[in-house]
Amino acid sequence: MSKKYVYLFSEGNREMRNLLGGKGANLAEMTGLGLPVPQGFTVTTEACTRYYDDGKKIASEIEAEIFSYVAELEKMADKKFGDTNDPMLVSVRSGARASMPGMMDTILNLGLNDVVVEGFAKLTNNPRFAYDSYRRFIQMFSDVVMDVPKSNFEKIIDEMKEERGIKLDTEFSAEDLKEMFTRFKTYFKEQKGFDFPQEPRSQLLESVKAVFRSWDNPRANYYRRMNDIPYSWGTAVNVQLMVFGNMGDDSGTGVAFSRNPSTGENKLYGEFLMNAQGEDVVAGIRTPMSIDKLNELMPEVYTQFAETAKKLENHYRDMQDMEFTIEKGKLYMLQTRNGKRTAASALRVACDLVKEGLRTPQEAVAMIDPKSLDALLHPQFDDKALKAAKAIGAGLPASPGAACGRVVFTAEDVVEWYNKGERKLILCRLETSPEDIEGMNLASGILTVRGGMTSHAAVVARGMGRCCVAGCGEINMHEGEKYFTLGGVTVKEGDYISLNGGTGNIYAEAIPTVDAQIGGDFETIMKWADEFRQLKIRTNADTPRDAAQAVQFGAEGIGLCRTEHMFFEADRIKAMREMILSSTEEQRRAALAKLLPMQRGDFEGIYEAMQGFPVTIRYLDPPLHEFLPTNEDDIAALADEMGMKADEVKSVISGLHEFNPMMGFRGCRLTVAYPEIAEMQTRAVIEAAVNIQKKHPEWKMVPEIMIPLVGEARELAFVREIVVKTADEIIKESGIALEYLVGTMIEIPRACVTADEVAQNADFFSFGTNDLTQMGFGFSRDDAGNFLGHYYDRKIYESDPFARFDQAGIGKLVATAVELGKKTKPGLKLGVCGEHGGDPSSIEFFHNVGLMYVSCSPFRVPIARLAAAQAALKNPRK
Ligand code: ADP
Ligand code: MG
Ligand code: MG
């Protein structure tokens, strides 16, 4: 039998998400639960993949299958497609495996044409409604399928409103709407050069193709990259019988969450509009009513909906995000899915579900997106400053958090300002649309004039953990001229404003922020995560302050303490430069002797902050020219100080010049050339540890010395000997039995493939995945930005290998090094200290490959704890 590409809703269920997409699988599941779902069928994601494989064509057998299901649906509906008396009308809805909100547009009322609409008007005895439905269809079909933008039709609507002196869509008469769709069609023909398609079957086929095409549009590609959704998944298409929320005052449409998506409160939360269709609620054209109001207007429908919400929640055992339509007093369910939520809401819902007995702690831990915690851990407004500030206005608190930054008026401007280095930006728009997604992601906050709590801006901002204030109708917005006025204040591009995503308040000033307060649900989830995970979580920290912050976030050690940052402070850089400019070993030793007490003091501070947790200290890594001045004045000053001629300093600098500094004289190569550097650093590490050990006998100090950039076993053996000799002398003198480890950072491919030899002189390996990625791919992370965009466009790479670890290639290097290293030393300590240590999908890989710890920046420690727990739950190790 040939492959099946189309399924009736009654043939599917929620397990078939990969094939039917999220929307289709859940429509099928709701059908199975006996809920009132308008029936229909789903064209599978495999049909989409096949469409691309076939060179963007729908194969004839798939086309035939679609139309046999149209016939099936006609039987179920007892209506016929294109019937002039009683037509079958459908919606065409996209739906990928993972929900991609607003990424691909829905077409409603498909099946109408010039003749059918008249029959439909007679049948419903409601010409106004029929014409309204047709003009909407023309608009949506033109926009999604024919590339004639919706907004151009909105202009025609605005013109007609002006001509008639009316404000609201609802004030148009039937005749007006007839004229409207006639004007739409004329406009369409002007734009496209052919008549608006009249044949329902070709309307349908073209729509299906358009949905498939939309899988590859730029905003879908961007969203996927941001959310790690593979291109290969494809999208399904749902074809569903229409129900009508725009049939009069006993009809309506809405969206609701079974719990509050901002706070997690266990209370129905949502919005609806009477006499409206589809996108009206989220488009922000009319301001919707709160779902509570439905209880007053239609108590029976409200009760039925509330019960349905509970039923779905118990069935899916998670908070649901539902779309519904009421047609002449009858409720229809059009969608359900696990609701997107803020991190605070996610934590509360997960903990509540455990309390309610619906979920186990393991499931609760697995439910939370580790990346979302980021928003919680970041600063909030300083309470005092906030109280002292005076709001100039308020909108809806659409997505929590505090944002303070400079105002820009388009998403492109956000990108432009951001690329110029401005990190604090607030995007202010009349309303946002899916094209704005990149700018929204880079902005610190989003402010809109139109739209409710479920508007595009609100939904997307919550998903990203971005602060958002939406629907501030009092703003007098001049996007074109780049300014707005609110509460008597004029705010221009570049001005600072602050947004409070918790209250909706807007301030025309910069309000300082303070560190986040983390609540009880967070602690509960973290406690569970710590029970389940098998990886240890360390942090990358170079200062006592960062170290203390990381300990507070639950770090169990430092995986990477970079020593070079310590040399950049004013008093130290001098001694450092002296060392670099030395022409004899003696001079060099004198300069290093000045650095020793400073470095020892730094390490003592860090050891104290880490309270006895292990600390891995990496020896000097960057090329030496980084420490020397570049401009004439500074060079002259330095020469003065050193009692040298400016030309002599310049010749040292030019002597250090390298064509490719990333692959130059750096890392352990420095120690090979100047062993006294490693001697000094060893003194600092060990003496500091001895001092702290004496001060805190309750801690067991075992400093870990990490030699960077090793590519050859003998290189490490050479450096190790210097370290061991120096350390053992100090320990002997100290009279205490201090232990220490000497290991290496694995960041050169050659070290990975010769790891069995390297391990002979290493007590531990720590994978430096930044350099390993750089050296493995052969491009630098500072330059990759120039060309990676082309690689994304051409689907050669789907994501930035510096952000998301490349398991297929660099992962093999890591796995090889692990295997070879353990062959030499079964007990070899293994960790990772590159930025990937804080990325959830990378953490899963590191868990699976058998590392003992990951190390990441302090703010990512909680993310790593949670991600490590999820990895362990998914694939427990012995
Ligand atoms: P999105 O994924 O952007 O939410 P949907 O496919 O869910 O797009 O469609 C958006 C809205 O269109 C729905 O919430 C619903 O109000 C309306 N809609 C879709 N299909 C139908 C239908 N068969 N009958 C009535 N309204 C529909
Ligand atoms: Mg929807
Ligand atoms: Mg490195």
Side-chain angles (χ1 to χ4, degrees), residues 162-175:
E162 214 158 284
E163 287 164 24
R164 283 159 182 74
I166 60 173
K167 275 208 150 126
L168 296 176
D169 293 10
T170 44
E171 292 172 72
F172 283 120
S173 69
E175 280 316 299

Side-chain angles (χ1 to χ4, degrees), residues 23 93-94 102 106 255 279 321-323 334-335 337:
K23 199 178 285 170
R93 317 171 64 187
S94 64
T106 295
V255 296
E279 303 284 273
D321 167 3
M322 298 152 294
E323 298 176 3
L334 290 174
Q335 189 174 340
R337 63 179 170 211

